[in-house]
Each structure stands twice: as structure tokens, then as C-alpha cells.
Amino acid sequence: MNSKKFALALLALIVVIGAIVGIYYYQEQNSRELTLYGNVDVRTVNLGFRVAGKLASLQVDEGDAITVGQVLGRLDDAPFINALNQAKASRDVAKANLAKAEAGYRSEEIAQVRSEVAQKESAFRFAESFLKRQQGLWQSKTISANDLDNARTGRNQALAAYQAAKDKLRQFETGYRLEEIAAAKAELTQADAGVAQAELNLQDTQLTAPSAGMILTRAIEPGTMLAAGNTVFTLSLTHPVWIRAYIDEPNLNQAIAGREILIYTDGRKNQPYHGKIGFVSPTAEFTPKNVETPDLRTDLIYRLRIIVLDPDGSLKQGMPVTLRFADANLTEAGK
């Protein structure tokens, strides 16, 4: 009986020890710091002029740090100034034409047309009376048929000229048609757009920095004839800076967007940068692409993008870094 109690007590002790060991092992596994490796990834931008022209000057060189809006280079702007002046002159003409159409014809112009109507009417009356005389002479066989036809033709021509003069007077008294005024307004709008485009082209003869960064390459020199969009500088941006890293599938559940990460470089092993996970790829980056067995799933690796919160000039493109999750964060993620 005593031996039986002893065996039960021993078994209970073994169970307790096993539980303690299991709990310790579980905590040890979950508190172990996960280490990843990656590389610094910095965005670069190719800078060029939006218009074609002759490169007049460059204000920066490779390795120069630049700020937002800083002038980096200039094109010869003389052709663009001439184009702007021409566009402004065309706009002035369009404005004058519209004002003329809206105001209508001047009283002096209308009076002149009335005088023309009176002249054409007198010419018609004379041709009409001359035709009647010729008709009387034709009846008495005094003139030939050709003379009568010539008189009739003259009367018809005078009538047409008189009618045209009256139509012109009616037009001058009524003013321009609505369609003509609308066309004049459209021409002015087109001229305004031409001036705006010419001003923009002149502005684009200056190349300015879109953001802060450092000049990596200077591709050309002053005097070069450039097409629109030709690369002049390659700019390495100061922000954003991120880390490209990879994590395997067993630890994928620890890669949570927004999670804070410590970033170590070889030159600052005891002074980490700080970052957070900004992106976790939803698909595997490496083979095997098709998962057929549970064993193959452990070979899948997923890309991470870690945003550096406190970057400086020491972080260079492609620099290798070491990434670590804080113990507290790792334990919380495993819960």
C-alpha cells in the first residue's frame, strides 16, 4: 500500500516537473527574439525639363544635397519669351474682335452704307427708265434687238447691286449675329489658352527639385540640345527610406503592419534606427510557386517593407541591415 502511494506521488511529481519544464520552454520559445536581414531601399527620381531647348546652365553637381523647390538648371529662355509675346499679341487681337462684335457697327459705317444704298438706288432708277425708253424705240423699230437686250441687262445688274446694298444696310443696322459673337468669344478663349501654355513653357525652362535629396548622377552639360523629358539628373530622395526584407512562412504571423522594429547597421550596432512594418506581400517571392505538400510550405518567403522613421544620411542605397522585433512585441504577437 505504501509502495502504491509512493508511485502515485512520484507520478504526480513527474507531471508537475513536466508542466514546469513545458511552460518554461514555451515562454522561452515565445520570448526569443526574431532576427531578420534586409537592405536599405531608397527611391530615386530621374529629373528632366518638360520642354525642349538648349541647356544654358546647371547649378548643382553630383553629391550635392538639395532642398524642395531649389533651382537645378535652366534652358535658354529667349525662344520661349518670343513665343509668349506672340501669344499675348494674338490674345489682344481676339479681344478687339470680340469687343467689335459685341458693340456692333459704328454710326459712321452705317451712314456710309446708307449712302451706298442711295447711289445704287439712283443707278437702278436710271437703268429702269433707260430700259423703258429703249422699249419704246424698239416698238418703233428705231433700235436693234441687241440694244434692247443690253438695256435690260443693265437694268437687272443695277437692281442686283441695289438689292445687295439694302441687304448690307440691314446687316449693319442689326449688328453682328449671335453666332459671330460666339465665334469671337471662342477665339478669345483659345488665345487665352495659348498665353497660359506659353507662360507655362517659359516657367518650365527652370528645372526645380520636386523634393529634398542628393544628386546621384549628372547626365549632361550646358550647351546640350535637349528633347523634352531627357534625363539631366538622377536624384536620391531623402524621404521616404525603407528596408526591403523577407520572412519565412512559420514566422509570417509575426509580420503585422504597423509593428515597430529596430534596425541595426554595421556602423551603428548599439544605436538602432527605428521603423515599422508598412507592407507585407500577400504572395511568396521565391520558388516553389505552387505549394503541393505541407513540407514545401515552410520554404515560402514573403517580402516586407519596413518604413524607417528616423533616417539620416548614413543609410545608403543597398546597405545591409539587421532587423529585430522587441521581446514584448513578439510575446504579444504570439498571444
Side-chain angles (χ1 to χ4, degrees):
M1 189 68 179
N2 291 334
S3 60
K4 195 172 185 178
K5 290 182 179 180
F6 176 76
L8 292 174
L10 181 60
L11 179 60
L13 179 62
I14 293 174
V15 170
V16 172
I17 294 175
I20 294 174
V21 172
I23 293 172
Y24 174 80
Y25 179 78
Y26 176 80
Q27 292 178 343
E28 181 68 18
Q29 287 294 106
N30 281 275
S31 64
R32 186 177 57 188
E33 192 176 34
L34 177 63
T35 301
L36 301 176
Y37 301 94
N39 297 89
V40 177
D41 201 355
V42 180
R43 281 189 175 179
T44 60
V45 180
N46 293 327
L47 303 180
F49 293 94
R50 191 160 55 179
V51 294
K54 181 180 179 181
L55 182 61
S57 62
L58 295 176
Q59 277 66 49
V60 295
D61 207 339
E62 295 179 355
D64 289 347
I66 62 174
T67 57
V68 179
Q70 180 178 344
V71 177
L72 308 180
R74 290 184 173 88
L75 295 178
D76 180 11
D77 60 1
F80 298 91
I81 294 176
N82 294 336
L84 177 58
N85 292 335
Q86 183 177 3
K88 288 181 178 180
S90 298
R91 181 181 62 183
D92 292 341
V93 172
K95 283 183 178 180
N97 289 336
L98 177 58
K100 178 181 177 181
E102 291 177 337
Y105 296 94
R106 295 179 301 170
S107 59
E108 295 83 357
E109 293 175 322
I110 296 175
Q112 183 179 0
V113 175
R114 284 175 179 167
S115 176
E116 292 178 3
V117 170
Q119 293 176 359
K120 300 301 182 183
E121 183 180 8
S122 297
F124 167 68
R125 301 302 178 191
F126 175 80
E128 180 72 18
S129 61
F130 180 73
L131 175 60
K132 290 179 180 179
R133 290 196 302 269
Q134 293 297 87
Q135 288 174 340
L137 295 175
W138 163 253
Q139 291 176 357
S140 62
K141 306 298 181 181
T142 305
I143 62 173
S144 64
N146 288 336
D147 292 335
L148 180 61
D149 290 340
N150 290 337
R152 185 178 291 107
T153 301
R155 191 279 310 268
N156 293 339
Q157 291 177 345
L159 177 60
Y162 175 45
Q163 189 63 45
K166 290 196 297 182
D167 292 341
K168 184 177 180 181
L169 177 60
R170 189 179 305 109
Q171 175 187 348
F172 272 55
E173 290 176 339
T174 304
Y176 289 90
R177 294 181 300 174
L178 296 178
E179 294 82 358
E180 293 175 320
I181 297 176
K185 290 181 178 179
E187 290 177 357
L188 178 57
T189 301
Q190 185 177 11
D192 286 335
V195 172
Q197 184 61 52
E199 290 175 341
L200 180 60
N201 291 342
L202 180 59
Q203 180 182 342
D204 286 338
T205 59
Q206 287 191 353
L207 179 61
T208 56
S211 60
M214 178 179 293
I215 299 296
L216 292 183
T217 58
R218 171 171 162 167
I220 56 175
E221 296 300 325
T224 305
M225 294 299 299
L226 298 176
N230 280 8
T231 298
V232 179
F233 295 107
T234 299
L235 174 66
S236 174
L237 302 182
T238 304
H239 295 280
V241 177
W242 59 70
I243 307 299
R244 181 189 296 267
Y246 296 89
I247 190 170
D248 56 6
E249 188 175 13
N251 293 304
L252 184 60
N253 65 330
Q254 300 180 26
I256 302 171
R259 184 174 179 185
E260 296 182 358
I261 291 182
L262 299 179
I263 305 167
Y264 295 87
T265 63
D266 292 339
R268 290 179 44 170
K269 295 183 178 180
N270 298 322
Q271 292 180 314
Y273 295 92
H274 299 83
K276 65 179 181 179
I277 298 177
F279 169 78
V280 181
S281 175
T283 58
E285 294 287 328
F286 300 109
T287 55
K289 295 180 180 179
N290 297 324
V291 180
E292 298 178 355
T293 67
D295 294 336
L296 290 177
R297 284 199 292 268
T298 61
D299 294 332
L300 293 177
I301 298 179
Y302 296 82
R303 180 166 56 93
L304 303 180
R305 174 181 292 174
I306 294 92
I307 302 172
V308 183
L309 301 179
D310 50 357
D312 57 25
S314 299
L315 293 177
K316 306 296 184 182
Q317 176 75 30
M319 176 183 291
V321 295
T322 302
L323 310 173
R324 294 191 176 93
F325 296 94
D327 292 348
N329 290 338
L330 182 60
T331 302
E332 183 180 353
K335 290 182 181 181

